[in-house]
Amino acid sequence: MQEKDHEYFMREALKEARKAFEEDEVPIGAVIAYDGRIIARAHNLREGSRDATAHAEVLAIRAACDAMGTWRLTGCSLYVTLEPCPMCAGAIILARLDRVVFGAQDPKAGAAGSVVDLFSVERFNHHPEVVSGVLAEECGILLKEFFRQKRS
Amino acid sequence: MQEKDHEYFMREALKEARKAFEEDEVPIGAVIAYDGRIIARAHNLREGSRDATAHAEVLAIRAACDAMGTWRLTGCSLYVTLEPCPMCAGAIILARLDRVVFGAQDPKAGAAGSVVDLFSVERFNHHPEVVSGVLAEECGILLKEFFRQKRS
């Protein structure tokens, strides 16, 4: 897949992240693509839904499973604006996603190399392709702006 | 907390696991206790719900967040018949559960020491107490019986 395709889908994930920002949620967005089209999109809803598991990736995976009629998301790619946390990385492995593409790194909780690297644990039964740093600056600026406003 | 209290709640988690067995789901069950009473119970529903994230622990955490009206499950303990996978261990950390008590170990995907140990990663911002091996034999036998029937 071309870098410009990754950027196209990441821009769609960024649209989701901006919806989260407008809803006073930490601005993280995700989309899932299959066969060149988006089958699921979601943004972080932890505060509004009062649900610790309502991260963008988990919500997008649940929506994609619903759209595909199966828990196996073989052939699908997940695009997310921030490096997945352990919960979301685990969900990506369980759902057998082919590929995970993320924007900014998460030095506090990233599970794709920043704190732990769950995708490279050999003993797990699935290993998605990982692409990092797509539109990283744009993804990171949105998060920085959110927390700057929160502090002020 | 006394060992007999842990066993009481684990027996309730086992009841949930048996429901999963009857529904032809991998038999894993969970309950969440707060202030000595059960506020959420769930069992694995991956096949029936066609949802890769529908593990007993995630469903119990979502139900407990709903019951408590917040994503923060401070003061709560989660009891689950099998060692949590990375997704579920991550959800436990995110929900700030005080304690996780599990039965059987999972040598294939366990994230509480068997394959990785997410609960002891210092850089994560929450570290629940972990109690392992409660009614482990009973929890494990149910899983073995399920897979024996599947193969026959």
Side-chain angles (χ1 to χ4, degrees):
Chain A
M1 196 176 285
Q2 302 288 311
E3 178 66 24
K4 68 179 167 53
D5 295 319
H6 288 331
E7 290 188 1
Y8 169 78
F9 289 115
M10 191 60 80
R11 286 197 197 287
E12 294 299 312
L14 270 162
K15 286 182 191 169
E16 287 296 316
R18 285 187 201 103
K19 288 184 200 167
F21 195 118
E22 285 161 19
E23 294 165 20
D24 209 26
E25 301 275 358
V26 177
I28 302 162
V31 300
I32 294 178
Y34 177 74
D35 203 16
R37 66 188 186 85
I38 292 172
I39 59 163
R41 51 173 73 233
H43 54 275
N44 177 36
L45 284 174
R46 186 181 68 169
E47 303 299 330
S49 66
R50 299 174 180 179
D51 175 0
T53 74
H55 281 193
E57 301 96 309
V58 161
L59 297 176
I61 287 170
R62 286 169 56 198
C65 289
D66 196 44
M68 300 284 276
T70 171
W71 60 262
R72 287 179 191 270
L73 299 180
T74 307
C76 294
S77 296
L78 183 144
Y79 293 81
V80 58
T81 56
L82 185 68
E83 181 181 357
C85 75
M87 174 183 72
C88 293
I92 287 162
I93 294 167
L94 290 171
R96 312 279 206 277
L97 281 147
D98 277 12
R99 184 186 293 117
V100 53
V101 182
F102 68 89
Q105 288 186 313
D106 184 355
K108 287 187 181 165
S114 287
V115 179
V116 291
D117 187 356
L118 292 175
F119 297 125
S120 69
V121 176
E122 283 195 18
R123 285 169 65 192
F124 292 145
N125 65 352
H126 180 70
H127 302 91
E129 180 193 349
V130 179
V131 180
S132 64
V134 175
L135 302 183
E137 195 175 338
E138 205 168 333
C139 293
I141 284 170
L142 196 63
L143 284 157
K144 283 194 189 86
E145 176 62 17
F146 179 81
F147 290 112
R148 194 190 62 77
Q149 286 191 15
K150 281 279 169 196
R151 280 192 303 268
S152 65
Chain B
M1 195 175 286
Q2 303 287 311
E3 177 67 22
K4 68 178 168 56
D5 294 319
H6 287 332
E7 290 189 1
Y8 168 79
F9 289 115
M10 190 61 79
R11 286 196 198 287
E12 295 298 313
L14 271 162
K15 286 181 192 170
E16 286 296 316
R18 285 188 201 102
K19 287 184 200 168
F21 195 119
E22 286 161 17
E23 294 166 20
D24 208 27
E25 301 275 359
V26 177
I28 302 162
V31 300
I32 294 177
Y34 178 73
D35 204 17
R37 66 185 184 87
I38 292 172
I39 60 163
R41 51 174 72 232
H43 55 275
N44 176 36
L45 283 174
R46 186 182 66 168
E47 303 299 332
S49 66
R50 299 174 179 179
D51 175 359
T53 73
H55 280 193
E57 300 95 311
V58 161
L59 297 176
I61 287 169
R62 286 169 53 197
C65 289
D66 196 46
M68 300 285 275
T70 171
W71 61 262
R72 286 180 191 270
L73 299 181
T74 307
C76 294
S77 297
L78 182 144
Y79 293 81
V80 58
T81 56
L82 185 68
E83 181 181 356
C85 76
M87 173 184 71
C88 293
I92 288 162
I93 293 167
L94 290 170
R96 311 280 206 276
L97 281 146
D98 277 12
R99 183 186 292 117
V100 53
V101 183
F102 67 89
Q105 287 186 311
D106 183 356
K108 287 186 180 167
S114 288
V115 178
V116 292
D117 187 356
L118 292 175
F119 298 124
S120 68
V121 176
E122 282 193 20
R123 284 169 66 192
F124 292 145
N125 67 350
H126 180 70
H127 302 90
E129 179 192 352
V130 180
V131 179
S132 63
V134 174
L135 303 183
E137 197 176 337
E138 205 168 332
C139 294
I141 284 171
L142 195 64
L143 284 157
K144 283 194 188 85
E145 175 61 16
F146 180 80
F147 288 112
R148 194 190 62 76
Q149 286 190 15
K150 280 280 168 194
R151 281 192 303 269
S152 65

